[in-house]
Amino acid sequence: MRSSAKGSRADGSPRVRPLRPLQHGFRVARALLASQYALMLEFRAEVLLWALAGLVPFVMLAVWIESPAGAALGMGPTQLARYFLAAFVVRQFTVAWVMVVFEEDALQGRLSPMLLQPLHPFWRYLASHVAEQAIRLPFVALIAALFFLVLPWAFWLPTPQRALLALAATILAFLLNFLIQCSMACLCFWSDRVNALERLIFIPMLFLSGMAAPLEAFPPALRRLAEWTPFPLLVHFPAQLLAGGEMNIAAGFTALAVWIAGLLLLVTLLWRAGVKRYGAMGA
Amino acid sequence: MAPSTSPIILAEGLSKTYRVAAKDPGLAGTLRHFVQRRYNDVAAVRDVSFQIQPGEMVGFLGPNGAGKTTTLKMLTGLIHPSAGKALVAGYTPHRRQANFLRRITLVMGQKQQLLWDLPALDSLRVNAAVYGIDDAESHRRIHALAEMLDMGNELKRPLRKLSLGQRMKAELLAALLHRPEVLFLDEPTLGLDVNAQARVRSFLADYNQRFGATVLLTSHYMADITALCPRVLLIHEGRLFHDGSLEALTQRLAPCREVRLELAEPWPLDSLRAYGEVESCEGMVVRLLIRRDALTAAVSQLLADLPVRDLEVRDPPIEELIGRLFVQGTLS
Amino acid sequence: MGNPLGRYLLTLRRLWGTALAMQLEYQANLLLEVVAAIANLIGSLLLLSLFYGGGRALGGWSWPQALVVLGVYTLLEGITSTWLRPNLSTIVGHVQQGTLDFVLLKPIDSQFWLSTTRLSLMGLPEIATGLGLMIWAAAKAGIRTTPWLLCQTLLMLLASGLLLYSLWFLVATTSIWFVKTWNAIEVLRAALSAGRYPISAYPAAVRTLFTMVLPVAFLTTVPAEAMLGRLTLPWLLLSLMVACLGLALSRAFWQFALRFYTSASS
């Protein structure tokens, strides 16, 4: 990812007017976001349906509220309702779908022209994710409002600190998920059946991220195991921040930072090797 | 057409009107559209009538959007006519009765029914079952059709590995396996190279001969029509403009013929005007447009009066005539 | 050649042979599907076990009884990827590319054709694990299989499969008007994931919703009850009725959509 920011300098062509990197980056970002937002606006019906497809936390909430297991956990109905709503919201803004799009771009032959541009393709995908989230925002707000209409007793406002921390954690969680997807998308250079991986990665995402059950409910050994994976950071950590649960905040952010740094390195290496291979095959 | 036998395709006052929702662009337009829908009626086909006898090969001409495909879809029963009546092989098409569907076929040059990842032979086996053709018979038919189409092992290779021409031949084979009496062909040679076009053409002629099948064919390539269809229907802006031979169409579209003269010496332009409309006069080469009914007289007069070295009478190419018609969008 | 039933059966055999050939053509990674099925099973079991710590039970269902429900759910997931997804997703493609015309011109029922053309091996591992879990859990719950019980279970599984098919087909049919509604299938799938647990595990209001509006109860709980030998006759009949109703509805809706397609398409 980092190499891409330098892409415009590394292409070797003489510059007409030297732009400061920051200024240049800002311009590119604005243009990308504007175009991707316009594009995503065309797909708003799909975005709404995708948002609705994330309703698993609500189904799970229904089971947890009815079961005595919730009470045994020390989470009353209010706390459970807040947790699962927070999990739904966080999940909405951490979804990434780089792999599917990248694979299609590669198959349809759109990759080669993208490689010729002095902009890393992943920036484009990042912009379209951000644009999609902007479209999602009103839908998610509407669903949350409906939720409080049905369960008014669950209503809460997080403290300003918690809200800010949750926002930061959600953004980082999204970046983490985005990078996980990017690293797998890079495998497209080696295999044409990468979409099968999408299915595999969805399984731990469902069971270990906290979407289906708060991690506090896991047996201790399983919870420790889950916390060695990045999945709880994607939903459980930001959701608990938002819902006001007890959290080791510093540890969570440290883990996010470490995972993001590691994946950034991995994606850079994989991308370089992949592009080299792509070039060697003369595609 | 002498009505000695009953027509196999009959269209009587066939019309199709689409209701198209009108929406202004932009968010405001979308909202207004949501509150109060406005519709425009678009007449795709208006009051088209014709009859086709069994065994005829008829070309169906017209510019894009003239209503050719809509008419074909009404005749195959894919869409309901808004008004008028269609009768194909004695059936009302849009009821789509099994016995009707067994008698017809539709080939669309730009769409394919065969499975992309599999050899055509697999799709053919499925079709044989669908149409209730037993194995021995379907073998015989595949073999015979493949021979007519000059196909061999291609049928055993996955479709995606075939060239466009081979794929089209396979599509034809699949469309004809149930030996339909009526063939509707929509641009069957679209995108094919000249050789492949010629092969498809000779196959269609051959099929028509051998099985007495009726063919209604649209094509952008005039060569398809001139080679195959003694009779053409020209549809323009949804209306039937011409029903008859290609020659008659040429006469209608171009009431004049072109006479090209090569003279031994230059001749004053004014005296040439007496024979017909002067199209061009470059040195000693003159091109005149002369009305068909006055042609014989004018030519003998020319030969008598002028020092003619060479004389040639020809029709303006039909492609050009129809092309001109389509571009202008108006008919005189 | 003469009787129509024979023609449909032969077509079906040919279609499925073709579908399998297509799978081999792309050499689907079945091993990966086996891994996914096992991982899914482990995840589901773990999740379910969270409700059973400390002698608790879920909606009055014992652990092995709840496992039967989970088994039925897994089986249905497998059927979805083997049968429903590969077939019904082609409707969208047909509408987009205009090849639905070819389907409509075949002298064969178009709903039959669109619902049976494809068959994927992808769901086989899940079908196997689902069936295995059902049988093992029923034995664990102390059920002695009698022919009557077996018949009842198979009948209810059939009803549940047809109901699931009807729901999918209803959603797929809407793509005749709006190609984009295919994504609604993901919403349906998410909602049907409620079928992992017996219906009595849900609060009363949700239970009503999952019985009357979105018939999740008939998909997994009812067949599981049948297998556990405690399905009452009224429920059995009701389940059959719901399945037939769903089927009839999907058929009527398809005919209606087709009328729209054939009078409006260009």
Side-chain angles (χ1 to χ4, degrees):
Chain A
M1 294 291 293
R2 225 171 253 157
S3 63
S4 58
K6 287 184 234 144
S8 57
R9 266 174 279 153
D11 63 359
S13 63
R15 286 261 200 88
V16 182
R17 190 165 59 97
L19 274 172
R20 268 173 290 141
L22 199 67
Q23 204 183 346
H24 173 71
F26 185 68
R27 240 184 89 192
V28 171
R30 218 177 46 188
L32 263 186
L33 283 175
S35 66
Q36 293 292 341
Y37 184 77
L39 186 67
M40 277 296 160
L41 208 54
E42 290 299 307
F43 289 99
R44 56 193 180 275
E46 273 105 324
V47 174
L48 170 64
L49 288 172
W50 279 122
L52 284 175
L55 50 77
V56 171
F58 296 140
V59 172
M60 293 313 296
L61 169 63
V63 184
W64 276 101
I65 275 194
E66 190 72 3
S67 160
L73 195 66
M75 285 174 95
T78 316
Q79 200 48 38
L80 282 170
R82 288 177 183 173
Y83 173 77
F84 279 108
L85 177 67
F88 167 78
V89 172
V90 168
R91 172 70 183 151
Q92 289 293 318
F93 293 106
T94 53
V95 175
W97 27 266
V98 183
M99 223 162 71
V100 185
V101 186
F102 185 78
E103 189 178 30
E104 198 179 304
D105 281 345
L107 285 178
Q108 306 272 327
R110 284 189 291 253
L111 185 57
S112 296
M114 278 201 278
L115 287 176
L116 292 180
Q117 289 191 345
L119 180 75
H120 198 295
F122 286 167
W123 285 111
R124 196 179 299 267
Y125 297 137
L126 188 64
S128 75
H129 278 71
V130 173
E132 192 233 23
Q133 287 172 5
I135 310 253
R136 239 174 229 253
L137 188 64
F139 296 141
V140 174
L142 201 70
I143 294 172
L146 273 175
F147 181 85
F148 289 130
L149 215 61
V150 178
L151 306 175
W153 42 264
F155 186 77
W156 89 105
L157 280 174
T159 63
Q161 294 125 288
R162 273 300 178 101
L164 275 178
L165 285 174
L167 181 67
T170 307
I171 293 173
L172 288 176
F174 162 67
L175 264 182
L176 174 56
N177 198 18
F178 184 79
L179 287 171
I180 292 175
Q181 287 263 328
C182 286
S183 64
M184 291 191 305
C186 286
L187 299 180
C188 283
F189 289 118
W190 285 271
S191 155
D192 57 350
R193 300 250 89 201
V194 173
N195 60 3
L197 274 179
E198 172 89 44
R199 199 170 131 55
L200 273 191
I201 199 95
F202 184 75
I203 296 169
M205 188 75 90
L206 180 64
F207 295 116
L208 298 183
S209 68
M211 243 195 298
L215 255 73
E216 287 76 12
F218 283 17
L222 181 65
R223 185 171 177 185
R224 270 198 301 281
L225 184 79
E227 278 169 346
W228 277 104
T229 72
F231 299 107
L233 297 170
L234 294 177
V235 175
H236 178 255
F237 176 60
Q240 278 294 30
L241 280 178
L242 191 60
E246 292 286 312
M247 290 303 297
N248 187 342
I249 297 171
F253 277 106
T254 313
L256 272 172
V258 170
W259 273 107
I260 288 176
L263 277 164
L264 214 50
L265 186 70
L266 179 70
V267 169
T268 311
L269 292 177
L270 276 176
W271 179 260
R272 274 196 200 147
V275 170
K276 203 180 275 175
R277 186 184 150 85
Y278 187 70
M281 290 191 310
Chain B
M1 292 299 115
S4 55
T5 49
S6 60
I8 191 151
I9 300 177
L10 176 85
E12 258 179 36
L14 214 51
S15 303
K16 179 71 193 177
T17 311
Y18 292 117
R19 236 153 82 97
V20 181
K23 181 179 95 67
D24 298 327
L27 186 64
T30 307
L31 285 177
R32 205 172 321 130
H33 178 68
F34 193 74
V35 180
Q36 188 181 26
R37 266 163 204 261
R38 285 175 299 125
Y39 292 97
N40 295 335
D41 281 346
V42 178
V45 175
R46 314 173 200 202
D47 196 22
V48 166
S49 304
F50 57 84
Q51 297 186 1
I52 294 175
Q53 303 302 322
E56 269 195 281
M57 288 187 99
V58 178
F60 202 19
L61 301 175
N64 288 331
K68 279 177 300 179
T69 305
T70 305
T71 309
L72 278 192
K73 285 197 168 187
M74 283 194 277
L75 292 176
T76 47
L78 286 169
I79 57 181
H80 297 214
S82 316
K85 172 177 133 180
L87 209 60
V88 175
Y91 292 86
T92 303
H94 71 80
R95 291 212 189 110
R96 291 210 316 279
Q97 286 140 298
N99 279 334
F100 164 69
L101 296 177
R102 271 184 244 267
R103 282 181 167 78
I104 64 153
T105 200
L106 173 67
V107 177
M108 292 182 272
Q110 71 279 44
K111 295 174 191 173
Q112 52 165 15
Q113 64 159 326
L114 296 174
L115 292 167
W116 184 247
D117 294 317
L118 287 184
L121 220 46
D122 286 286
S123 299
L124 289 174
R125 276 166 53 81
V126 174
N127 269 8
V130 167
Y131 286 96
I133 307 163
D134 69 46
D135 282 351
E137 178 62 19
S138 79
H139 265 285
R140 241 191 332 271
R141 289 190 192 179
I142 291 172
H143 188 75
L145 285 168
E147 203 158 87
M148 285 168 74
L149 281 162
D150 193 20
M151 291 188 92
N153 277 330
E154 293 101 313
L155 290 176
K156 290 181 184 147
R157 290 220 303 270
L159 209 65
R160 63 188 137 88
K161 297 196 172 142
L162 300 187
S163 73
L164 192 61
Q166 291 169 326
R167 229 152 49 212
M168 193 62 231
K169 289 201 281 184
E171 284 286 333
L172 275 170
L173 208 165
L176 299 176
L177 187 64
H178 58 287
R179 208 164 276 170
E181 295 160 39
V182 187
L183 279 57
F184 296 99
L185 306 168
D186 195 8
E187 301 285 350
T189 52
L190 196 73
L192 302 187
D193 66 45
V194 181
N195 285 330
Q197 277 181 32
R199 224 161 303 137
V200 167
R201 228 173 272 149
S202 66
F203 167 76
L204 289 174
D206 198 7
Y207 186 88
N208 165 262
Q209 280 268 301
R210 220 183 270 196
F211 300 108
T214 311
V215 178
L216 184 57
L217 160 104
T218 79
S219 180
H220 267 92
Y221 303 107
M222 200 49 65
D224 287 346
I225 308 289
T226 45
L228 292 175
C229 308
R231 176 180 169 200
V232 295
L233 302 171
L234 178 77
I235 192 165
H236 184 69
E237 288 179 342
R239 288 205 175 83
L240 192 64
F241 171 73
H242 175 83
D243 178 357
S245 70
L246 201 56
E247 241 165 66
L249 179 63
T250 316
Q251 278 182 28
R252 243 180 112 177
L253 289 177
C256 298
R257 301 195 82 188
E258 189 185 273
V259 177
R260 187 177 165 279
L261 291 170
E262 223 183 297
L263 303 175
E265 52 194 83
W267 208 258
L269 195 66
D270 280 339
S271 57
L272 286 173
R273 294 227 166 90
Y275 304 98
E277 190 187 331
V278 180
E279 218 181 8
S280 71
C281 175
E282 289 157 13
M284 283 175 287
V285 178
V286 180
R287 282 163 49 173
L288 291 169
L289 282 178
I290 299 172
R291 292 190 58 83
R292 283 170 195 274
D293 44 17
L295 187 68
T296 334
V299 167
S300 47
Q301 201 65 44
L302 277 169
L303 289 171
D305 297 352
L306 307 181
V308 175
R309 197 180 279 164
D310 191 19
L311 184 142
E312 193 187 354
V313 178
R314 61 185 182 192
D315 271 326
I318 180 80
E319 254 147 323
E320 222 169 76
L321 288 176
I322 291 179
R324 215 184 295 158
L325 177 78
F326 295 170
V327 171
Q328 290 169 351
T330 49
L331 292 164
S332 46
Chain C
M1 194 173 160
N3 72 330
L5 186 65
R7 189 162 64 86
Y8 273 75
L9 284 178
L10 180 65
T11 304
L12 210 57
R13 222 180 63 205
R14 291 269 164 87
L15 279 174
W16 289 353
T18 316
L20 290 181
M22 200 135 64
Q23 297 271 309
L24 296 176
E25 188 64 29
Y26 269 123
Q27 287 178 356
N29 202 338
L30 248 155
L31 185 70
L32 195 104
E33 285 303 317
V34 173
V35 172
I38 292 172
N40 233 327
L41 186 66
I42 292 173
S44 304
L45 287 175
L46 278 176
L47 202 56
L48 189 62
S49 74
L50 299 184
F51 298 102
Y52 280 90
R56 287 181 294 270
L58 190 64
W61 290 58
S62 73
W63 170 249
Q65 285 167 344
L67 284 187
V68 177
V69 179
L70 190 60
V72 177
Y73 178 79
T74 312
L75 174 68
L76 288 183
E77 282 274 280
I79 289 175
T80 302
S81 20
T82 292
W83 173 39
L84 299 178
R85 184 178 287 281
N87 280 301
L88 302 185
S89 60
T90 59
I91 296 180
V92 191
H94 279 312
V95 172
Q96 264 174 335
Q97 288 152 30
T99 41
L100 192 60
D101 292 353
F102 287 126
V103 178
L104 297 182
L105 288 183
K106 286 188 196 308
I108 200 159
D109 186 79
S110 54
Q111 184 174 4
F112 170 83
W113 177 269
L114 290 168
S115 308
T116 54
T117 328
R118 307 284 174 94
L119 197 65
S120 161
L121 297 176
M122 291 295 182
L124 287 188
E126 268 186 319
I127 291 180
T129 46
L131 279 176
L133 186 59
M134 278 169 70
I135 294 166
W136 180 79
K140 201 84 170 143
I143 300 303
R144 279 190 40 238
T145 23
T146 59
W148 166 231
L149 198 71
L150 203 65
C151 279
Q152 216 182 0
T153 310
L154 286 178
L155 193 64
M156 286 300 97
L157 281 177
L158 183 72
S160 134
L162 290 178
L163 182 60
L164 185 66
Y165 160 79
S166 308
L167 292 173
W168 269 72
F169 196 79
L170 280 171
V171 173
T173 301
T174 58
S175 51
I176 293 264
W177 291 280
F178 323 99
V179 171
K180 293 176 174 181
T181 47
W182 176 245
N183 277 345
I185 219 74
E186 293 303 326
V187 184
L188 180 71
R189 253 173 71 96
L192 294 186
S193 74
R196 280 174 197 276
Y197 309 105
I199 198 72
S200 59
Y202 292 91
V206 182
R207 223 178 295 163
T208 317
L209 184 81
F210 281 153
T211 315
M212 314 288 253
V213 184
L214 189 72
V216 176
F218 296 98
L219 290 177
T220 55
T221 306
V222 168
E225 298 254 28
M227 188 151 194
L228 294 169
R230 37 185 229 201
L231 191 67
T232 54
L233 193 64
W235 273 96
L236 189 139
L237 293 177
L238 189 65
S239 176
L240 284 178
M241 240 173 62
V242 169
C244 290
L245 196 73
L247 219 52
L249 202 66
S250 78
R251 181 119 195 111
F253 191 51
W254 174 246
Q255 297 294 345
F256 173 71
L258 222 50
R259 223 170 55 216
F260 196 93
Y261 176 82
T262 52
S263 68
S265 71
S266 62

